[in-house]
Amino acid sequence: MDNGNISVRTSGPAADKIGTSLRRAILRGEMQAGTRLRQDAIAQQFAVSHIPVREALRQLAAEGLVTIRPNRGAIVSRLSSAEARELLEIRCAIETQAVRWALPHADADVLARAEAALMESECTEDVARWMEINWRFHFTLYERAGRPRALSLIESLDLQIDRFIRVLFTASDYRKQAQEEHRAILAAYRVGNAAAVTSLLEQHITETSRLLTELLERYQDE
Amino acid sequence: MDNGNISVRTSGPAADKIGTSLRRAILRGEMQAGTRLRQDAIAQQFAVSHIPVREALRQLAAEGLVTIRPNRGAIVSRLSSAEARELLEIRCAIETQAVRWALPHADADVLARAEAALMESECTEDVARWMEINWRFHFTLYERAGRPRALSLIESLDLQIDRFIRVLFTASDYRKQAQEEHRAILAAYRVGNAAAVTSLLEQHITETSRLLTELLERYQDE
DNA sequence: TCTAGATTCAGTGTCATATTTGATCCGAAC
DNA sequence: GTTCGGATCAAATATGACACTGAATCTAGA
């Protein structure tokens, strides 16, 4: 964390800025699951009092990224394999519906951007970068759904699970497999084949779920 | 609001107690959409400083019940007809999936409790009471899904929309219709007919959506 | 009528302080 | 050696008084 002592008063509430910064650190794996989040240390780091820190932590807790234990402090949330499986099941249910909504409204712009994301993801070796592009690829497919709430919900589910998907990179050849699956999804999307898109998307998420829950189960045995 | 000056220090953080109390007031319609939520007034009412009030408001904002405008204060969230429609669409997608998960594991206890909820809802004239029982009825059908996260998500969606469904009681014969639909759903559930259950549930939620969005559109024209 | 500055309102956060909670440690008793 | 109770510790939780900030509204002048 290289924030230094920034002025947090000039662009919105301090609590929001702190929350954004902590969220980023958690999502990039700089703060691992189980890490203690001490109010006074964070307050010192951001050169603020502990009040906006508490507010930021509450916000992150509501998002599921942080677990608050009253009077004992906050930690970066862990995720059990059962929870992971379930989150991905929910994602699957909503994302397949979102893509059905979006597909009839897909245009050349959407296709070009999804293709660009796919090309970009093939050129990067950086895990954090790849995860960002992965999200952008998926989001682009759903963009024309006309359902902001659903997309927001998908994003919040994504936030809870993507930092764990990150570990698949070192534990399996996840990236190669995911790229192939993305290619197939985009090909079906391009010709407007809704049944194929949803089926491929479902397989993609289900396979991710299988790999991730296996990995988390191994973690829990250690 | 008849809370008086209660001691909020004896069972968990003050912010949690305030949040719970405000949430209840919002859900029961005691605080209408658009109502100003002033930190100082709430702090006075609960005999606390403004700090736990701010934390409670942030928590409720994260739940979608409250909208915070920086430097301008918080209001009880409004809901546009488009948002209502979408929330119910999402609910429909998840609840039909939840009931599919639950149905193979339904037992006599679940059936008895769902039946009891239905009977109880037929005996009450109180809107708040009916809404609670309505939730209990639905929740009971999903209980055996073995998916705590999904059920939690359904509940949070419920929280965002049920206070608006309340107004259907005075604006249409919603209750009678909903009771009939509940009866049909339970009958199909009882014989384990998953296709019929999901289809009836989908119709039930879709019909609710239709009525509610019409009503909200009328509100917005005034 | 429009614009700029003043005023108002309520939020945002600090500070020094006190209190509370839960975990850990330590000594005494068995 | 084990158990139990009290003391200690670390960190969270919140107070009350105060200062500052931002956005909306009001007022006066051009």
Side-chain angles (χ1 to χ4, degrees), chain A residues 73-84:
Chain A
I75 59 168
V76 177
S77 297
R78 300 185 208 271
L79 193 69
S80 71
S81 63
E83 281 173 319

Side-chain angles (χ1 to χ4, degrees), chain B residues 103-149:
Chain B
L103 195 52
H105 306 282
D107 55 22
D109 177 53
V110 161
L111 291 171
R113 280 190 288 115
E115 177 72 48
L118 209 42
M119 298 289 279
E120 197 178 339
S121 67
E122 280 171 355
C123 298
T124 192
E125 302 286 350
D126 180 50
V127 177
R129 185 98 185 99
W130 193 92
M131 292 304 295
E132 278 170 29
I133 299 165
N134 177 56
W135 163 246
R136 197 185 338 138
F137 173 75
H138 279 273
F139 185 81
T140 305
L141 298 184
Y142 316 140
E143 209 179 280
R144 294 287 194 269
R147 303 306 200 265
R149 284 288 185 123

Side-chain angles (χ1 to χ4, degrees), chain A residues 79-89 161 164-165 167-168 205-221:
Chain A
L79 193 69
S80 71
S81 63
E83 281 173 319
R85 189 183 301 115
E86 200 186 331
L87 283 176
L88 286 161
E89 279 175 330
I161 200 149
F164 295 103
I165 294 178
V167 300
L168 286 178
I205 296 175
T206 303
E207 183 60 15
T208 300
S209 176
R210 187 183 66 78
L211 292 172
L212 184 58
T213 52
E214 281 178 8
L215 194 68
L216 287 173
E217 271 160 12
R218 245 185 287 154
Y219 262 34
Q220 279 155 18
D221 289 347

Side-chain angles (χ1 to χ4, degrees), chain B residues 22-43:
Chain B
L22 292 177
R23 186 184 298 110
R24 192 185 297 120
I26 293 169
L27 294 186
R28 286 170 167 263
E30 292 162 23
M31 285 178 173
Q32 303 270 57
T35 303
R36 284 286 305 280
L37 299 171
R38 288 193 37 190
Q39 295 183 6
D40 58 349
I42 294 167

Side-chain angles (χ1 to χ4, degrees), chain A residues 129-177:
Chain A
R129 183 99 186 101
W130 194 91
M131 292 302 296
E132 278 171 27
I133 299 164
N134 178 56
W135 163 246
R136 197 184 338 135
F137 174 75
H138 279 274
F139 184 82
T140 305
L141 298 185
Y142 316 139
E143 208 177 282
R144 292 288 194 269
R147 304 302 202 266
R149 284 285 187 131
L151 265 60
S152 172
L153 175 57
I154 290 166
E155 187 173 11
S156 75
L157 292 169
D158 195 71
L159 279 179
Q160 287 180 61
I161 200 149
D162 261 18
R163 63 191 162 112
F164 295 103
I165 294 178
R166 182 187 307 277
V167 300
L168 286 178
F169 277 82
T170 50
S172 68
D173 198 18
Y174 176 72
R175 188 185 119 166
K176 186 172 189 294
Q177 181 177 343

Side-chain angles (χ1 to χ4, degrees), chain A:
Chain A
M1 295 280 286
D2 59 350
N3 270 70
N5 288 348
I6 61 170
S7 165
V8 294
R9 202 64 197 272
T10 54
S11 47
D16 288 346
K17 304 260 327 183
I18 295 162
T20 299
S21 190
L22 292 178
R23 187 186 296 107
R24 191 186 297 121
I26 293 169
L27 294 187
R28 286 169 167 264
E30 292 162 22
M31 285 178 174
Q32 302 271 58
T35 303
R36 283 285 305 281
L37 299 170
R38 288 194 34 192
Q39 296 183 9
D40 57 350
I42 294 167
Q44 204 159 20
Q45 180 193 328
F46 286 89
V48 295
S49 78
H50 71 278
I51 304 300
V53 174
R54 290 175 58 80
E55 289 179 27
L57 289 177
R58 275 186 173 260
Q59 175 70 27
L60 293 174
E63 293 170 19
L65 293 183
V66 163
T67 304
I68 292 179
R69 301 162 301 177
N71 295 304
R72 296 318 300 153
I75 59 168
V76 177
S77 297
R78 300 185 208 271
L79 193 69
S80 71
S81 63
E83 281 173 319
R85 189 183 301 115
E86 200 186 331
L87 283 176
L88 286 161
E89 279 175 330
I90 298 169
R91 267 185 63 175
C92 195
I94 303 178
E95 289 185 27
T96 50
Q97 186 59 259
V99 85
R100 273 194 283 267
W101 285 323
L103 195 52
H105 307 282
D107 55 21
D109 177 54
V110 161
L111 290 171
R113 281 191 286 116
E115 177 72 47
L118 208 41
M119 297 289 281
E120 197 177 339
S121 67
E122 279 170 355
C123 296
T124 191
E125 302 286 349
D126 180 51
V127 175
R129 183 99 186 101
W130 194 91
M131 292 302 296
E132 278 171 27
I133 299 164
N134 178 56
W135 163 246
R136 197 184 338 135
F137 174 75
H138 279 274
F139 184 82
T140 305
L141 298 185
Y142 316 139
E143 208 177 282
R144 292 288 194 269
R147 304 302 202 266
R149 284 285 187 131
L151 265 60
S152 172
L153 175 57
I154 290 166
E155 187 173 11
S156 75
L157 292 169
D158 195 71
L159 279 179
Q160 287 180 61
I161 200 149
D162 261 18
R163 63 191 162 112
F164 295 103
I165 294 178
R166 182 187 307 277
V167 300
L168 286 178
F169 277 82
T170 50
S172 68
D173 198 18
Y174 176 72
R175 188 185 119 166
K176 186 172 189 294
Q177 181 177 343
Q179 295 284 70
E180 283 167 11
E181 286 164 353
H182 285 174
R183 273 242 158 266
I185 289 164
L186 184 56
Y189 196 88
R190 193 181 298 274
V191 297
N193 186 343
V197 173
T198 53
S199 176
L200 288 165
L201 183 59
E202 199 163 313
Q203 282 172 47
H204 172 51
I205 296 175
T206 303
E207 183 60 15
T208 300
S209 176
R210 187 183 66 78
L211 292 172
L212 184 58
T213 52
E214 281 178 8
L215 194 68
L216 287 173
E217 271 160 12
R218 245 185 287 154
Y219 262 34
Q220 279 155 18
D221 289 347
E222 298 171 1

